[in-house]
């Protein structure tokens, strides 16, 4: 029988998981694309900063499968999700857990359970998201955290897109409207007037 996975080790790697492939393009065809990778936390921070600086939906475009393009003048930054954090992989349990975390933004913390070597997400009065569920949220890139014990946990860009995708599917919204709806969700979630509210 194999030993259970060391979730503490996995959680500590949360800050290094490459959840997005990035490409930066310029309108000038002589400027080459610059590839890179971002963690969930980095992608979330980049989009939050972008929405704060460039207000309105014309500066951001989401696609139903989770890709996001940020427009900055003549420059475009495209974030492509890894295969692991595509919206369609979200389960009902993960969506419920993300909604709990979103309701206690700034208060969700990584904590070690009593008599346990594993880290969980403590959500104050809303309870605790157990270690195995915490592991899955990290693997999918649905939460943004540094991964250290006591660190805050927030719903990531991928997590918000996955929640929106699930809601659109459950409400039977025509697929042709999903990209615009997800773009609206991103702008609403990351607008400075809503962040930290």
């Amino acid at each position: 029988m194999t030993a259970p996975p060391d979730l503490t080790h996995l959680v500590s790697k949360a800050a290094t998981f490459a959840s997005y492939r990035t490409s930066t393009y310029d309108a000038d065809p002589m400027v080459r694309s610059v590839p890179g990778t971002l963690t969930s936390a980095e992608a979330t921070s980049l989009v939050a900063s972008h929405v704060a600086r460039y207000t309105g939906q014309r500066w951001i475009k989401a696609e139903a499968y989770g890709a996001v393009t940020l427009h900055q003048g003549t420059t475009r930054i495209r974030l492509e999700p890894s295969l692991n954090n595509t919206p369609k992989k979200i389960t009902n349990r993960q969506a419920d857990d993300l909604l709990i975390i979103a309701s206690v933004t700034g208060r969700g913390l990584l904590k070690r359970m009593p008599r346990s070597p594993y880290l969980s997400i403590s959500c104050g009065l809303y309870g605790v998201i157990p270690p195995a569920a915490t592991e899955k949220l990290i693997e999918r890139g649905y939460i943004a955290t540094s991964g250290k014990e006591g660190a805050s946990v927030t719903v990531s860009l991928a997590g918000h897109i996955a929640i929106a995708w699930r809601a659109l599917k459950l409400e039977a919204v025509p697929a042709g409207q999903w990209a615009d709806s997800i773009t609206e969700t991103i702008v609403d979630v990351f607008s400075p007037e809503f962040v930290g509210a």
Side-chain angles (χ1 to χ4, degrees):
M1 181 172 224
T2 61
D6 181 359
L7 300 185
T8 302
H9 177 68
L10 174 68
V11 171
S12 70
K13 289 176 66 177
T16 62
F17 283 169
S19 292
Y20 284 90
R21 290 185 327 273
T22 63
S23 300
T24 303
Y25 301 93
D26 194 89
D28 183 347
M30 298 304 290
V31 178
R32 296 182 64 190
S33 169
V34 180
T37 59
L38 294 175
T39 65
S40 282
E42 291 168 337
T44 303
S45 178
L46 175 65
V47 170
S49 297
H50 180 81
V51 171
R53 184 172 178 196
Y54 298 93
T55 58
Q57 291 182 20
R58 67 188 183 113
W59 300 103
I60 188 167
K61 177 69 176 157
E63 295 175 33
Y65 72 93
V68 175
T69 302
L70 308 176
H71 300 262
Q72 300 175 342
T74 61
T75 303
R76 308 285 183 266
I77 301 172
R78 184 164 176 80
L79 305 174
E80 287 278 345
S82 70
L83 292 176
N84 213 28
N85 69 344
T86 56
K88 67 181 179 181
K89 291 196 174 189
I90 194 166
T91 65
N92 290 339
R93 170 64 191 265
Q94 290 166 348
D96 291 344
D97 287 344
L98 291 176
L99 291 171
I100 290 170
I101 294 168
S103 67
V104 292
T105 299
R107 289 177 275 161
L109 300 173
L110 284 176
K111 289 192 172 182
R112 196 171 307 280
M113 298 301 295
R115 299 178 301 279
S116 171
Y118 304 124
L119 294 176
S120 310
I121 301 172
S122 173
C123 297
L125 297 175
Y126 293 95
V128 173
I129 296 170
T134 298
E135 174 189 16
K136 286 297 180 190
L137 293 175
I138 289 170
E139 283 179 351
R140 294 281 182 250
Y142 293 156
I143 58 173
T145 182
S146 70
K148 297 179 179 152
E149 187 171 359
S152 66
V153 175
T154 58
V155 178
S156 69
L157 170 65
H160 284 295
I161 291 172
I163 292 169
W165 184 91
R166 179 175 171 261
L168 291 165
K169 185 177 179 185
L170 291 174
E171 294 167 9
V173 174
Q177 298 174 13
W178 289 17
D180 289 339
S181 293
I182 291 172
T183 300
E184 287 176 26
T185 298
I186 293 170
V187 171
D188 287 347
V189 166
F190 292 106
S191 289
E193 61 266 24
F194 294 112
V195 174

